[in-house]
Amino acid sequence: MLGGLCASGWFTMGLWMRAYVDHVLADSTSQGSPGGKDLLWPAPVFPGDKLEFSLEVLSARLSRSRPNLGLVEIRAQADRDGQPVLRSTFTGMFGTRP
């Protein structure tokens, strides 16, 4: 159906999340996430594919109810040869600094 053995979309998201934790969350003031608004897998991932992960900060604001908490809207993406194989938009919560 997809032209051969392919990875689960959740496996692909897990790879992206591993990179996000290692390169962003590990030394941050992360307080979790209240969720996201989309998660898309526009193309399959096959064995041997090399993926490039990226994130884009779409917006950032202070929480109205908890001013010591920042809300950051983030777009996650994984590409194979310039073609998207994963896209997601979610909100990250981070403690603010004085």
Side-chain angles (χ1 to χ4, degrees):
M1 179 175 169
L2 296 173
L5 179 68
C6 70
S8 155
W10 287 109
F11 178 79
T12 305
M13 186 62 191
L15 293 173
W16 187 92
M17 193 66 192
R18 175 80 263 170
Y20 180 58
V21 168
D22 288 347
H23 298 284
V24 176
L25 296 185
D27 294 318
S28 75
T29 60
S30 176
Q31 303 294 305
S33 171
K37 59 183 177 184
D38 63 40
L39 179 54
L40 306 166
W41 295 286
V45 173
F46 299 102
D49 284 352
K50 293 188 189 314
L51 303 180
E52 182 176 313
F53 301 123
S54 62
L55 72 82
E56 178 182 359
V57 173
L58 301 175
S59 67
R61 67 176 179 85
L62 289 176
S63 167
R64 287 184 274 280
S65 60
R66 294 175 55 197
N68 62 335
L69 187 70
L71 301 170
V72 181
E73 186 178 27
I74 297 167
R75 176 177 297 134
Q77 186 156 320
D79 295 322
R80 176 193 55 235
D81 297 325
Q83 176 189 20
V85 296
L86 163 75
R87 280 191 222 128
S88 179
T89 305
F90 64 95
T91 300
M93 299 185 303
F94 295 88
T96 59
R97 295 185 173 109

